[in-house]
Amino acid sequence: EAQVTQNPRYLITVTGKKLTVTCSQNMNHEYMSWYRQDPGLGLRQIYYSMNVEVTDKGDVPEGYKVSRKEKRNFPLILESPSPNQTSLYFCASVGTVHSMNTEAFFGQGTRLTVV
Amino acid sequence: DAKTTQPPSMDCAEGRAANLPCNHSTISGNEYVYWYRQIHSQGPQYIIHGLKNNETNEMASLIITEDRKSSTLILPHATLRDTAVYYCIVRPYNFNKFYFGSGTKLNVKP
């Protein structure tokens, strides 16, 4: 079954304690991205990756890092989380970078609370 | 970069067709229209997409006007499980992001 898997689903952490949210897809997709969703602000893109070792900033990259060492995984790293990063996070993957006729698959989300 | 305009909310009676409109007047010739929905706080779920012809799948139908400036998503027999936020998205050519906008909150009522 085609899947994007995020872990953990829920996380409560303290300010400044580094954390990683993992994202893995089993569809051999080239394109992956991270979004955060906040009330009234919709889904905003944090970072995206067009392929292995190719990453770029989205709309709200401050305070986040990503890596793409292998095609299936695209972890989101918060080096020093702050309360304003409390949010619902989604990972997404899309099949072919330059095809307009493919859909995006989303993970089930990670609800992060930074206290 | 608002590419689509949708009503903030709509009601629909269970068993009836739900017709969700979307305006995308600045759409380019090679841009597709996608529809996704988000139930509670789950990950957005793909529904359907199209370029210029009407499309139908097991979930819904998509009607795109001839000038491609607007479209309508049709859920033929809405159920309570269809209560969700529905997003109309115009897929940008540079492919870097999906602009989700605010979507339409569909409330299906018994």
Side-chain angles (χ1 to χ4, degrees):
Chain A
E1 181 191 351
Q3 262 186 328
V4 178
T5 304
Q6 293 179 229
N7 279 297
R9 293 289 310 278
Y10 301 91
L11 179 60
I12 300 174
T13 190
V14 296
T15 300
K17 185 177 181 182
K18 181 180 178 179
L19 67 90
T20 298
V21 184
T22 64
C23 174
S24 180
Q25 49 94 1
N26 63 359
M27 296 164 280
N28 201 36
H29 283 172
E30 295 177 348
Y31 181 92
M32 298 182 74
S33 64
W34 277 100
Y35 291 82
R36 61 178 287 174
Q37 186 172 30
D38 303 289
L41 296 176
L43 281 113
R44 295 179 291 168
Q45 191 184 55
I46 304 170
Y47 267 94
Y48 64 93
S49 169
M50 304 283 266
N51 213 324
V52 176
E53 303 291 1
V54 181
T55 63
D56 209 344
K57 297 176 180 178
D59 295 319
V60 287
E62 294 76 24
Y64 303 95
K65 285 175 61 177
V66 293
S67 70
R68 189 90 182 273
K69 294 189 171 76
E70 49 190 341
K71 209 170 191 179
R72 64 182 292 124
N73 295 322
F74 189 46
L76 179 69
I77 303 155
L78 284 72
E79 295 270 3
S80 183
S82 62
N84 65 12
Q85 292 178 298
T86 293
S87 188
L88 179 58
Y89 291 86
F90 292 103
C91 178
S93 75
V94 187
T96 306
V97 171
H98 296 296
S99 169
M100 295 293 291
N101 193 21
T102 53
E103 68 201 71
F105 292 81
F106 284 81
Q108 284 306 297
T110 296
R111 187 169 291 282
L112 172 65
T113 302
V114 184
V115 297
Chain B
D1 291 359
K3 281 182 163 282
T4 63
T5 304
Q6 298 177 252
S9 66
M10 293 181 64
D11 291 336
C12 178
E14 189 177 20
R16 297 285 199 173
N19 296 278
L20 291 91
C22 179
N23 287 318
H24 32 78
S25 58
T26 60
I27 192 170
S28 300
N30 58 1
E31 290 181 323
Y32 281 76
V33 179
Y34 281 74
W35 283 84
Y36 280 77
R37 72 180 182 184
Q38 189 175 23
I39 297 173
H40 298 301
S41 295
Q42 297 177 21
Q45 176 191 21
Y46 167 80
I47 301 173
I48 198 167
H49 73 282
L51 183 63
K52 53 185 176 182
N53 298 321
N54 297 339
E55 302 287 344
T56 295
N57 63 20
E58 64 278 2
M59 287 182 70
S61 294
L62 173 61
I63 309 297
I64 302 175
T65 58
E66 195 169 338
D67 63 7
R68 301 187 73 237
K69 292 185 177 182
S70 66
S71 61
T72 301
L73 178 75
I74 301 171
L75 307 178
H77 305 287
T79 71
L80 298 178
R81 285 192 299 271
D82 292 321
T83 292
V85 177
Y86 287 77
Y87 296 97
C88 169
I89 300 162
V90 170
R91 178 87 166 267
Y93 184 73
N94 67 6
F95 189 19
N96 289 343
K97 51 182 96 165
F98 285 74
Y99 296 99
F100 272 82
S102 301
T104 296
K105 177 69 171 31
L106 176 67
N107 299 301
V108 180
K109 301 185 175 181

